[in-house]
Amino acid sequence: MDAKQLSDGLATRFPGKILGVDPLDGTLGRIRFDPAVATDLFRSLRDDYQFTHLTLVGATDWIDHREVFYVLWSDTDRLYLVLSANLPTDAPVIASSVPIWPSANAHEREAWDLVGVKFEGHPDLRRIFMPEGYAYHPLLRSFKIHEPEDLEVKVRSD
Amino acid sequence: MSGQAPEVPRPAVRPQTDASPAGDLPLAVIGQPGVPFVEIETLRAREFIPAAKEALSSLLKEQAQGKLIRPVFNWAGRNSLFPLHWGLACCAIEFAAAFGARWDAERFGVVPRSSPRQCDLLIVNGTVTWKVAHKLIALYEQMPEPKWAIAMGNCATGGGPFRTAYSVVPGVDKLIPVDVYIAGCPPRPENMLDGILRLEQLIKERGE
Amino acid sequence: MSSVTLYSVAYSIAAILLGGLAHLFPAPVHGWLISGDVVTALATVIFAAILLAASMLNTILLIWYERKLLGRFMDRRGAMHVGYAGLLQNFADGLKLFRKDTVRPGQADPLGFWLSPTAYMVTSLVIFGLLPISTGWNGGSLPLTLLLALVIFSFAPLFIFLGAWASNNKYSLIGGMRSAAQMIAYEVPILLAVVAVVVLAGSFDLNTIVLEQRNYWFWAPLFLALIVFLTGMLAEMERIPFDLPEAEAELVEGWNTEYGGMLFAFFMLADYLRALVGSILVVLLFLGGWTLPSYIPAALTSFPLAGIVWFMVKTYLVFGLFVWVRASLPRIRTDQLLRLGWMRMVPLALLSVILAALVVLARCLPLIGCVPSMGG
Amino acid sequence: MTHGLWNLRVRIEGEIIKDVEPEMGYLHRGIEKISEDRHYNEIITLMDRTCYVAGLAWEHLFIVAAEQALHVTPPERAEYIRVLSAELQRIASHLMWYSAFVQDLGLMTPFLYGMRDRDLILDLFQSYTGGRLTYEYMRVGGVRSDLPLGFTQRCRQVVDWLMDRFVEYDQLCLSSTIFHERCDGLGVLLEPEAVAYGVTGPMLRSAGSHRDLRKDRPYSVYDKLQFQVATASTADVTGRYLVRMEEMRQSVRIVRQCLDWLDDHPGPVMAEHLPRWLGAPYAPMGNESYLLKRNYPTGVGLSMMEEPHGEAGAYVVNDGGEHPYRVKFRSPVLINIWAAKRYLPGYRVADIPPIMGSVDVCVGECDR
């Protein structure tokens, strides 16, 4: 199976929703898709193309939009596939992949915690690394890191 | 010498003294079946008491100046530092290696304990994040006095390579009082042992 | 040295002291002071003090011995720098713990929190006082010393559980419950193993049991009982592989999690004191106590205090065995521990009782000739 | 010890575990955020600290992704040195795991034996990188320096010694009945579930899977080396023990092949045509303008590797600047801990230490 074959197959299934294929070394390629068909696309990839293993879910903040990327592994073909979808900055929402790949649970929580992408249908979308009640999504480009100044620490012990 | 015949050889409890026993005082002769006889030459009690009084008062004076008992406890305290057995990050691996066969921190009486109640020493071995900060303070406060803290490695000293990060406490001395800082990222086990020995020196100098 | 007993030494010291003291006072007080009752009372106190000193010294030496031995098993050296070869290390530890604050958690029950370490310590000391280290070590021999020692030995789970409950900590409580279940479960096989020894010796008196072993030590006919007893003692001492009440990986420090300072020192000392008592019991019941086989040259057995020396050598060897086990086995799980206790150890102990009975029977068979038993 | 700071909330009924909820983030140091502010070669510093028991493996991981994003090819000798380092690191990491795991079981002596033998490997690292835990050895385009004289000889001695010690470790563990009582049949995670939950590494291979990226999708020079994938079929704690032990032996095999190759093939260890800001050791003659080139072609790099704990991944986005635009790591430990929801319920509280010990938790890479 090569990238052309796969993207053609997917394009016939989801007409107009597969936005393009980029080459990426060491993988089958990077397929860009429309987030509207996320759940159906994931299910089709798992059931029809044997991508049984979701390796990685991550998100990038490109200032004008946010990108969610998925890395899949096909155990039969021994190949990686990268999926990516662009989400608008004002409403970064995409359907969760947890119902299809349980392994996405922690990854999606991490993406929500650090980049602020919401996954609809996630069973337990809470922060994972930062404490509950933290106000920011630190991996956004608008969040600047800086040398700490002299700070006065007040720690509430509970 | 009493009239009753001893059944066994006498134990050598007779004080070796040249002076004859005081004539006006009777010898104490006490006996009971099954127990060997002893005969006692009396102590010169009236001479003993003033000397004892003097010695006692000088001891009390020394004790009041903190010269008698306190050095003993100081010696004990500095030679038996029990660190808390908890690992934060990279330095925790070197902390563990220091208790391994090659460095063997137990040579100096350093034995890690898991419960903060039984510890004297909190070795902050790694990066402290804000999420864990109040737990660190709670652990430190659970330790009974007297207690000491060592900031091991650059992260605990000043944030280290993660100083600019949003989630890292830039130096654990913002949270708890620290006695000894150990540089290194991570410090080698020798450095950790050196830090502990320096803490011992510090305790000796402060006379705590 | 046969009739110089520890008590007589204590009595002599008391007599010297009181005799000296009596001169300072006028006649009626003087007379009262050198009367038998007062001297006996003081002698008892001194006797107890000697026992206390002996037990504490031995316990601390035992901790040092374990640390060094464990270090050698692990390719390292153990305590080295405090005193010669780290001999003073444990004194430093003890003094330090003595000075440290003792923090009682706010929610903890004060009475139980203070009482349990103290009671644990005291009961362990009492057992040490009961055991004969050598001929004439303790004042008189009660007819049921062994039984009394084991009864006091079995108080421990009560105090541990009390202390664990009183400190109001979930890890302590789980550790305390595990400890109580474990100790109670292993008391049965221990007692049965002791029954085998008693059947063979015909007495509950430890002196008699040792005397009975002058011809052969009991480990040979009662090997099964020895194994059961050693295993049970390991469980009673809560040492690896049976140290799950103190399993660090899941229960912090187990039932003494909340204890610090002197109370922790009490628990620690009492633990090692119990280990010492356990080793002493093994030596007394199975390894011939202070006696040595007759083929050992007399020069080695007739110097002053030879009995005590040989006894302590044996005790430390037995404790070294425990340390060896600790260095080489992982810990097992509660249910496995209890299953081992009830399903394996109890039948083995019963079997050893039957074996002991058969040995006694065989001694009395007319063919072999009835060897009269000394005890009973 | 290696478990570090993480929290496992357990709901129990009696001694039986009903539900677990792992809680992480106590060591979240914002490595991905700091990386966006750093030079490619400066990120290597962070990689050592990301997984502090497998620093060189994570350096390798990041470097391969970065080279892919920056379109740089390292010389072959550097690849061999990297593989050698990664395999030695695998042994060291597994020894650390062994030490911590047996300590969880209550075995005290093997803990010290494991640490003692791990120190020998750290001595080897020290001889060519200068560090014990944090090495900063690999560079975009190669490695910092060649191996020192006599290194291959010393390394062979060490791995020979280790092969003997592995036998001793097995004797201490596998020949003990209590070890089997504590470990057999615990934490069972069968292959389909493991795949669904994303579990990788020795945990997956202990369930009978042959999945090993070094074989399935060979990176660096793994396709030129001979080794076998260690598997077990029991899917329990003992299986994971056996897999890791066998992996150490296979790693020794790989190390020996690498040493043989390195003895015969001297050569450069840095790529030649590198811009100066990537740390080129010397400028190619007549190519000075190349050195000043700031805007490198953009690209995306994805590297997935068989790290000692499982499959680690790095996703590096290069937008043409000196700093990467986005760095994203896949931590195998995070997912392996996460699957505790699947493999812990049903066992006893006292089984938690051996089961979680068999996962090989390294909180640094889990929380990043």
Side-chain angles (χ1 to χ4, degrees):
Chain A
M1 182 167 54
D2 62 353
K4 189 81 179 68
Q5 208 180 337
L6 177 67
S7 68
D8 286 351
L10 288 174
T12 52
R13 248 171 238 264
F14 304 100
K17 303 296 185 187
I18 304 298
L19 305 177
V21 182
D22 308 328
L24 182 58
D25 286 354
T27 69
L28 205 52
R30 190 166 71 143
I31 296 183
R32 283 178 279 120
F33 68 98
D34 188 331
V37 294
T39 311
D40 294 335
L41 178 71
F42 295 155
R43 184 162 293 125
S44 164
L45 281 171
R46 184 191 67 177
D47 296 341
D48 305 336
Y49 295 96
Q50 274 79 45
F51 284 97
T52 49
H53 202 299
L54 177 79
T55 301
L56 178 63
V57 181
T60 313
D61 178 29
W62 290 98
I63 301 172
D64 54 338
H65 65 274
R66 288 180 203 172
E67 180 199 0
V68 184
F69 55 89
Y70 298 80
V71 180
L72 304 179
W73 167 258
S74 161
D75 221 15
T76 46
D77 294 335
R78 314 262 168 204
L79 279 174
Y80 277 114
L81 173 69
V82 181
L83 301 175
S84 100
N86 289 346
L87 311 175
T89 306
D90 48 348
V93 181
I94 190 171
S96 168
S97 54
V98 175
I100 294 132
W101 294 292
S103 56
N105 194 320
H107 290 307
E108 290 188 353
R109 273 180 71 179
E110 188 189 329
W112 158 245
D113 187 1
L114 300 182
V115 195
V117 175
K118 259 209 159 74
F119 293 90
E120 267 183 351
H122 189 285
D124 183 28
L125 195 63
R126 285 180 294 124
R127 287 186 177 274
I128 184 168
F129 290 152
M130 301 309 291
E132 247 352 278
Y134 188 70
Y136 310 100
H137 296 293
L139 252 71
L140 295 181
R141 301 299 285 194
S142 56
F143 183 93
K144 300 288 183 207
I145 57 174
H146 52 83
E147 188 70 11
E149 288 113 34
D150 274 349
L151 37 91
E152 192 176 329
V153 180
K154 283 178 189 161
V155 177
R156 181 176 52 87
S157 71
D158 40 15
Chain B
M1 293 294 163
S2 77
Q4 298 173 25
E7 296 172 9
V8 288
R10 292 187 207 99
V13 292
R14 178 195 292 263
Q16 296 295 318
T17 167
D18 295 331
S20 60
D24 53 343
L25 293 175
L27 292 174
V29 179
I30 314 152
Q32 194 183 328
V35 175
F37 279 46
V38 278
E39 64 181 286
I40 296 155
E41 310 219 359
T42 55
L43 294 166
R44 295 182 181 275
R46 288 182 187 81
E47 290 166 23
F48 171 74
I49 285 177
K53 256 185 186 169
E54 196 175 325
L56 194 66
S57 68
S58 75
L59 278 181
L60 282 174
K61 204 185 285 172
E62 279 191 359
Q63 167 65 8
Q65 291 165 352
K67 280 182 188 165
L68 195 66
I69 304 289
R70 191 183 275 194
V72 176
F73 279 117
N74 185 282
W75 168 83
R78 73 171 185 265
N79 276 314
S80 127
L81 291 168
F82 290 1
L84 184 64
H85 187 197
W86 84 317
L88 279 163
C90 333
C91 300
I93 304 295
E94 292 296 61
F95 176 80
F99 291 93
R102 191 183 286 186
W103 285 279
D104 189 20
E106 207 200 326
R107 283 179 299 149
F108 304 101
V110 179
V111 183
R113 302 289 309 179
S114 298
S115 165
R117 302 270 186 226
Q118 299 152 10
C119 296
D120 322 274
L121 175 60
L122 181 65
I123 298 185
V124 185
N125 44 17
T127 323
V128 182
T129 59
W130 288 113
K131 197 172 177 178
V132 87
H134 72 267
K135 294 199 166 58
L136 176 82
I137 293 175
L139 278 175
Y140 184 73
E141 282 174 354
Q142 278 173 359
M143 284 163 49
E145 288 282 349
K147 57 191 171 187
W148 297 276
I150 289 183
M152 179 181 179
N154 291 354
C155 292
T157 305
F162 309 105
R163 184 175 173 79
T164 52
Y166 46 88
S167 57
V168 171
V169 181
V172 74
D173 47 7
K174 306 270 191 300
L175 305 174
I176 57 172
V178 174
D179 296 274
V180 172
Y181 298 87
I182 306 175
C185 191
R188 297 173 57 90
E190 296 97 315
N191 291 13
M192 198 199 98
L193 292 180
D194 180 49
I196 289 175
L197 292 180
R198 268 164 202 271
L199 179 65
E200 288 182 8
Q201 197 63 34
L202 200 69
I203 296 170
K204 191 178 180 185
E205 283 164 13
R206 285 188 198 154
E208 281 168 347
Chain C
M1 59 173 271
S2 59
S3 62
V4 176
T5 65
L6 185 64
Y7 185 74
S8 70
V9 173
Y11 201 94
S12 317
I13 297 172
I16 295 167
L17 284 179
L18 279 181
L21 201 62
H23 294 303
L24 304 177
F25 296 99
V29 183
H30 175 226
W32 178 75
L33 273 178
I34 58 170
S35 69
D37 288 348
V38 177
V39 178
T40 312
L42 186 64
T44 313
V45 170
I46 291 174
F47 176 62
I50 294 175
L51 279 182
L52 181 71
S55 64
M56 286 295 100
L57 209 64
N58 259 313
T59 310
I60 285 176
L61 205 60
L62 203 68
I63 302 178
W64 174 83
Y65 173 66
E66 173 175 32
R67 285 170 81 161
K68 296 300 272 190
L69 203 57
L70 214 51
R72 288 298 175 175
F73 278 123
M74 292 170 177
D75 261 14
R76 58 192 181 87
R77 291 190 158 232
M80 270 179 76
H81 288 280
V82 188
Y84 176 74
L87 266 172
L88 292 181
Q89 181 61 55
N90 294 307
F91 290 96
D93 289 350
L95 278 174
K96 180 210 68 175
L97 286 170
F98 184 69
R99 178 180 64 155
K100 268 188 98 72
D101 258 7
T102 303
V103 182
R104 180 173 66 82
Q107 301 291 312
D109 179 66
L111 182 65
F113 192 80
W114 296 105
L115 178 69
S116 60
T118 323
Y120 188 45
M121 181 78 189
V122 168
T123 47
S124 311
L125 278 172
V126 167
I127 317 172
F128 184 82
L130 286 174
L131 301 175
I133 302 293
S134 169
T135 46
W137 176 255
N138 39 10
S141 56
L142 298 167
L144 294 177
T145 335
L146 179 57
L147 212 53
L148 187 60
L150 287 171
V151 165
I152 301 174
F153 205 74
S154 62
F155 283 169
L158 191 69
F159 297 125
I160 288 175
F161 187 68
L162 177 68
W165 172 78
S167 56
N168 192 27
N169 179 319
K170 59 188 170 200
Y171 302 117
S172 298
L173 189 62
I174 297 177
M177 288 200 289
R178 282 185 180 184
S179 172
Q182 168 178 338
M183 289 191 176
I184 290 169
Y186 274 80
E187 250 144 40
V188 179
I190 282 189
L191 281 176
L192 284 175
V194 167
V195 165
V197 174
V198 169
V199 165
L200 208 54
S203 169
F204 272 112
D205 180 12
L206 285 167
N207 282 315
T208 319
I209 291 176
V210 172
L211 282 180
E212 279 293 305
Q213 299 183 52
R214 65 195 182 283
N215 294 329
Y216 55 93
W217 293 355
F218 283 169
W219 69 267
L222 295 179
F223 194 66
L224 271 181
L226 174 64
I227 289 176
V228 172
F229 194 82
L230 282 176
T231 319
M233 271 299 157
L234 271 177
E236 290 279 321
M237 297 170 193
E238 295 182 350
R239 300 173 62 79
I240 285 177
F242 303 123
D243 73 330
L244 28 107
E246 299 170 37
E248 272 179 37
E250 63 220 47
L251 293 182
V252 195
E253 283 283 340
W255 42 263
N256 56 24
T257 298
E258 287 289 349
Y259 286 93
M262 204 55 217
L263 298 183
F264 168 63
F266 274 179
F267 269 133
M268 202 69 190
L269 277 176
D271 265 356
Y272 277 93
L273 199 53
R274 282 166 66 82
L276 179 68
V277 166
S279 314
I280 288 178
L281 276 176
V282 172
V283 174
L284 281 176
L285 297 181
F286 297 99
L287 299 181
W290 52 88
T291 59
L292 281 179
S294 52
Y295 53 80
I296 301 284
L300 284 178
T301 56
S302 58
F303 57 90
L305 298 182
I308 292 181
V309 168
W310 283 115
F311 193 93
M312 289 334 280
V313 166
K314 283 182 192 173
T315 308
Y316 277 69
L317 284 179
V318 169
F319 187 73
L321 183 73
F322 290 142
V323 176
W324 190 1
V325 169
R326 177 177 179 186
S328 46
L329 286 185
R331 81 171 64 89
I332 74 174
R333 220 167 52 198
T334 320
D335 56 327
Q336 293 162 350
L337 174 97
L338 295 182
R339 204 168 56 230
L340 181 71
W342 291 109
M343 314 274 283
R344 298 278 183 280
M345 287 301 144
V346 173
L348 274 181
L350 283 172
L351 191 64
S352 63
V353 174
I354 295 171
L355 277 180
L358 287 179
V359 171
V360 173
L361 211 61
R363 280 202 306 215
C364 295
L365 278 180
L367 273 178
I368 300 170
C370 189
V371 181
S373 168
M374 286 286 288
Chain D
M1 287 289 189
T2 51
H3 310 336
L5 275 183
W6 63 290
N7 197 349
L8 187 73
R9 290 169 190 269
V10 185
R11 200 160 57 78
I12 51 175
E13 267 183 33
E15 279 259 319
I16 308 292
I17 303 166
K18 285 294 162 191
D19 194 15
V20 297
E21 176 71 37
E23 197 175 307
M24 273 87 84
Y26 294 103
L27 195 56
H28 178 60
R29 294 166 290 186
I31 283 175
E32 290 172 10
K33 184 72 180 176
I34 304 175
S35 301
E36 292 173 7
D37 208 27
R38 289 205 179 196
H39 197 284
Y40 283 96
N41 280 338
E42 286 172 342
I43 296 173
I44 298 162
T45 312
L46 300 178
M47 285 300 96
D48 288 320
R49 285 139 184 100
T50 304
C51 185
Y52 34 78
V53 292
L56 281 167
W58 275 73
E59 283 182 22
H60 193 190
L61 174 79
F62 171 75
I63 287 296
V64 168
E67 282 172 351
Q68 199 178 331
L70 291 165
H71 314 281
V72 175
T73 315
E76 197 176 11
R77 186 172 168 86
E79 293 272 29
Y80 267 96
I81 294 178
R82 286 177 185 177
V83 168
L84 170 78
S85 310
E87 291 303 322
L88 283 174
Q89 186 73 74
R90 187 186 310 277
I91 301 174
S93 172
H94 282 352
L95 283 175
M96 188 70 217
W97 163 80
Y98 175 81
S99 306
F101 172 66
V102 293
Q103 206 192 24
D104 281 351
L105 288 176
L107 263 169
M108 302 169 70
T109 313
F111 165 75
L112 283 129
Y113 288 178
M115 296 299 283
R116 177 193 69 191
D117 297 338
R118 177 174 165 273
D119 275 336
L120 297 176
I121 298 184
L122 297 192
D123 284 350
L124 288 180
F125 286 149
Q126 204 178 321
S127 70
Y128 69 96
T129 69
R132 271 169 56 82
L133 277 193
T134 47
Y135 313 102
E136 289 110 36
Y137 179 60
M138 298 184 191
R139 292 284 184 274
V140 174
V143 294
R144 194 177 69 206
S145 56
D146 208 338
L147 298 174
L149 268 178
F151 173 82
T152 48
Q153 196 55 37
R154 269 202 309 283
C155 189
R156 280 199 187 90
Q157 284 171 359
V158 168
V159 293
D160 288 348
W161 158 267
L162 283 174
M163 283 304 267
D164 288 349
R165 293 285 78 71
F166 295 155
V167 178
E168 190 183 356
Y169 296 165
D170 277 350
Q171 281 171 353
L172 273 164
C173 287
L174 291 182
S175 59
S176 157
T177 319
I178 299 178
F179 180 85
H180 288 287
E181 290 266 322
R182 282 307 299 277
C183 296
D184 283 359
L186 290 190
V188 172
L189 187 69
L190 297 175
E191 192 184 348
E193 290 165 343
V195 169
Y197 275 84
V199 169
T200 49
M203 282 189 79
L204 179 60
R205 287 193 286 277
S206 76
S209 169
H210 278 73
R211 180 166 161 190
D212 187 330
L213 291 183
R214 292 176 293 173
K215 278 277 189 220
D216 291 347
R217 219 178 125 264
Y219 47 91
S220 283
V221 289
Y222 277 112
D223 47 352
K224 297 172 192 164
L225 300 168
Q226 261 110 53
F227 64 98
Q228 284 164 352
V229 179
T231 59
S233 55
T234 49
D236 61 356
V237 176
T238 317
R240 288 164 207 156
Y241 172 89
L242 291 172
V243 166
R244 288 206 174 88
M245 281 295 166
E246 182 57 30
E247 268 186 26
M248 284 201 269
R249 295 195 171 95
Q250 294 297 332
S251 290
V252 169
R253 214 174 137 193
I254 298 174
V255 165
R256 283 179 177 152
Q257 293 174 46
C258 287
L259 290 174
D260 291 344
W261 191 94
L262 287 167
D263 274 344
D264 301 342
H265 298 78
V269 293
M270 268 308 254
E272 287 183 8
H273 297 287
L274 276 180
R276 174 162 284 166
W277 58 269
L278 274 178
Y282 50 87
M285 289 298 284
N287 244 349
E288 283 79 7
S289 65
Y290 189 74
L291 291 172
L292 299 173
K293 189 172 170 188
R294 310 285 296 183
N295 285 328
Y296 227 59
T298 60
V300 174
L302 171 75
S303 76
M304 303 295 290
M305 275 187 192
E306 196 65 38
E307 197 240 353
H309 305 94
E311 282 171 23
Y315 183 85
V316 177
V317 180
N318 162 28
D319 70 337
E322 290 181 13
H323 307 159
Y325 186 81
R326 173 84 166 96
V327 182
K328 165 82 185 143
F329 297 107
R330 178 194 198 267
S331 156
V333 176
L334 175 66
I335 308 302
N336 288 0
I337 294 181
W338 202 259
K341 279 174 167 309
R342 187 70 198 80
Y343 57 72
L344 265 184
Y347 298 102
R348 290 159 195 277
V349 177
D351 293 335
I352 294 178
I355 295 178
M356 293 321 291
S358 74
V359 175
D360 195 3
V361 178
C362 171
V363 180
E365 74 173 65
C366 168
D367 290 351
R368 296 191 291 288

